[in-house]
Amino acid sequence: LDHLREGLKSDPTPVVRRLLLICLTRAQTACGDMQIAIESMEEAIGLKLDAEGSETLEASLRNLKLAINAMDAGNTSLRQGDAQGAISQYEEAACSFTASRCGGCAPLYLALAAAHLAHKPPNGDQALQSADTALQIQNNFPKASRRRAESLVLLKRHDEALKEYKALFKLYPRDAELKKALQKVSKAAKASA
């Protein structure tokens, strides 16, 4: 992100500026900074370099806004205890993010993993897939690693979960909840060995 911002400060040509803004939008979307992603896309549209390119960017912006609205609705559903409703909204958001051509959004897949874990009964496979997708988009995302570990525990893949929890505990050695989860998984891994 810093390199893209520096490139914008260097007063590039309009074509290069548009490309930098589009790249910045994708990067901001990946880490969940939606308002700035929208502002970057709007600035890229405002350059009006060519009609076809502007129309494509405008369609991308509409889809980005649809994705954000669906993600917000999913968050509301999850807070209200409606995991299935949240999953539906998050899946709609994922489709809209894809249509926006802005790339993936790691916080969306983190929330989708949480919804799959909160679902009755929990769906460990889907939660794991969502956590893995979040980590593919943003590889240094401890919350996604934690959801991944929780999913692995649910799937009774204790050795893999133990590795995830140990890596997280190195980052957050004072986290009491994490320490408790690590101890619990360690016992489960030993029992299943």
Side-chain angles (χ1 to χ4, degrees):
L1 285 172
D2 291 337
H3 293 297
L4 292 169
R5 288 185 184 117
E6 287 301 314
L8 288 169
K9 289 179 185 176
S10 69
D11 198 29
T13 66
V15 172
V16 172
R17 183 170 190 78
R18 178 187 264 183
L19 289 173
L20 287 170
L21 286 165
I22 292 168
C23 290
L24 188 59
T25 299
R26 290 179 64 91
Q28 290 160 330
T29 300
C31 58
D33 197 349
M34 300 306 168
Q35 187 56 43
I36 295 175
I38 288 173
E39 291 169 6
S40 297
M41 183 69 79
E42 287 173 339
E43 185 178 341
I45 291 168
L47 293 173
K48 299 202 183 281
L49 296 176
D50 59 83
E52 186 177 321
S54 292
E55 286 176 20
T56 301
L57 290 175
E58 287 170 0
S60 293
L61 179 61
R62 281 191 301 277
N63 283 308
L64 180 59
K65 288 179 177 180
L66 286 172
I68 292 166
N69 289 338
M71 191 170 164
D72 288 344
N75 291 342
T76 299
S77 293
L78 191 57
R79 278 192 303 275
Q80 293 173 346
D82 180 9
Q84 185 57 51
I87 290 167
S88 296
Q89 291 295 327
Y90 292 144
E91 288 174 348
E92 180 183 326
C95 290
S96 294
F97 273 119
T98 300
S100 75
R101 298 184 181 143
C102 289
C105 175
L108 166 65
Y109 289 98
L110 175 70
L112 184 55
H116 282 296
L117 289 170
H119 192 268
K120 301 296 181 210
N123 188 333
D125 289 321
Q126 291 295 318
L128 180 60
Q129 182 179 349
S130 296
D132 284 343
T133 300
L135 288 165
Q136 288 171 0
I137 295 166
Q138 188 177 338
N139 64 354
N140 187 14
F141 195 8
K143 287 182 180 180
S145 295
R146 193 172 197 145
R147 290 277 192 279
R148 185 175 197 287
E150 292 167 0
S151 302
L152 290 166
V153 168
L154 185 64
L155 295 169
K156 300 189 184 325
R157 292 165 55 181
H158 298 108
D159 290 338
E160 293 173 73
L162 185 59
K163 288 178 187 176
E164 289 288 335
Y165 277 124
K166 282 181 178 180
L168 285 166
F169 194 68
K170 284 182 183 179
L171 294 172
Y172 304 102
R174 293 189 179 122
D175 186 327
E177 189 178 309
L178 188 57
K179 184 176 183 177
K180 184 178 175 181
L182 178 60
Q183 291 169 341
K184 185 176 177 180
V185 169
S186 182
K187 287 179 187 176
K190 287 178 186 174
S192 66

